[in-house]
Amino acid sequence: MTYEAIMDMKYLDQVVNETLRKNPPFGMLSRETTLNYKIPGTDCILEKGTSLHIPIYAIHHDPEFYPNPSKFNPDNFSEEAVKNRHPIAFLPFGAGHRACIGVRFGMMQVKLGVIIGLRKFKYTLSPKTRQPIKLQSKFFVAQPEGGIWLNIESVD
C-alpha cells in the first residue's frame, strides 16, 4: 500500500469525511477575537477579546450546507459538493492557523486502518449497539451512549 494509492481512493476520503461530519470529534471550538469585528449585514460588533463558541456539530448538521443532514451520505464530499459549499461548513479539526497540525497524519492513519481492516475482516453491528446511535452530551469528546459493539469475523 503506497501513499499515492491511498490518496487515489476518493470514495474512502468521502466516507471518512462524512463520518467526521456526522460525528465530529469535538462539538464546538472556542476562540477569542483579536480585533473588533462587525458581523456583515448587522449592526453587531464583536469587540476585541470577546470569547466565541463555534458550534461544529450544529454547522455539520445544518440543512443549508448538508441536505438531509441526519442521513449518512458520502456524496456530501464529492468534488462538486465541496466546491459549492462554504469551506468553513466542515470543521472537524478546526480551520486556519489554529487547525489541528496532525490532521494529515491522522487521516492517513485512519484510512490505512480502514483499508487493512476491510481486507482481513467482515464487520457487523452487534445487537448490543443502540440504534440510532446517540452521542453523550456530558463529555468534551464525542462518545456514543453505550458504545459501539461490533461482530468481527475473519474473511480468510
Side-chain angles (χ1 to χ4, degrees), residues 25-37:
F26 301 99
M28 71 174 178
L29 293 173
S30 295
R31 296 291 185 261
E32 184 176 298
T33 58
T34 57
L35 301 170
N36 288 345
Y37 178 77

Side-chain angles (χ1 to χ4, degrees), residues 58 71 84:
K71 180 182 177 198
N84 292 325

Side-chain angles (χ1 to χ4, degrees), residues 1-152:
M1 189 62 50
T2 66
Y3 175 81
E4 290 77 18
I6 294 171
M7 295 310 290
D8 283 341
M9 296 181 184
K10 302 297 182 199
Y11 193 70
L12 176 60
D13 191 58
Q14 289 177 228
V15 168
V16 170
N17 283 334
E18 179 66 355
T19 301
L20 289 168
R21 179 196 68 82
K22 284 205 38 101
N23 303 293
F26 301 99
M28 71 174 178
L29 293 173
S30 295
R31 296 291 185 261
E32 184 176 298
T33 58
T34 57
L35 301 170
N36 288 345
Y37 178 77
K38 183 179 183 296
I39 298 175
T42 73
D43 292 330
C44 184
I45 295 175
L46 299 175
E47 294 182 10
K48 179 181 177 178
T50 301
S51 293
L52 300 172
H53 298 287
I54 302 160
I56 296 173
Y57 187 89
I59 292 169
H60 286 188
H61 289 82
D62 187 333
E64 179 182 336
F65 302 121
Y66 302 98
N68 197 3
S70 61
K71 180 182 177 198
F72 184 85
N73 180 9
D75 288 336
N76 282 327
F77 291 91
S78 68
E79 281 186 43
E80 183 177 335
V82 171
K83 181 175 61 174
N84 292 325
R85 183 173 49 243
H86 193 284
I88 302 300
F90 184 59
L91 297 166
F93 302 104
H97 69 280
R98 296 283 310 269
C100 174
I101 62 171
V103 66
R104 286 187 179 147
F105 180 68
M107 290 291 282
M108 183 59 60
Q109 284 186 308
V110 166
K111 291 176 187 178
L112 192 55
V114 168
I115 293 165
I116 291 170
L118 290 176
R119 287 174 62 190
K120 297 184 178 202
F121 301 99
K122 176 183 174 185
Y123 302 85
T124 56
L125 277 180
S126 165
K128 292 181 183 180
T129 299
R130 296 181 192 166
Q131 290 192 39
I133 293 172
K134 292 182 182 175
L135 297 178
Q136 296 181 28
S137 59
K138 63 183 177 181
F139 294 102
F140 183 67
V141 176
Q143 296 181 28
E145 287 183 8
I148 297 177
W149 293 80
L150 295 175
N151 299 317
I152 304 172

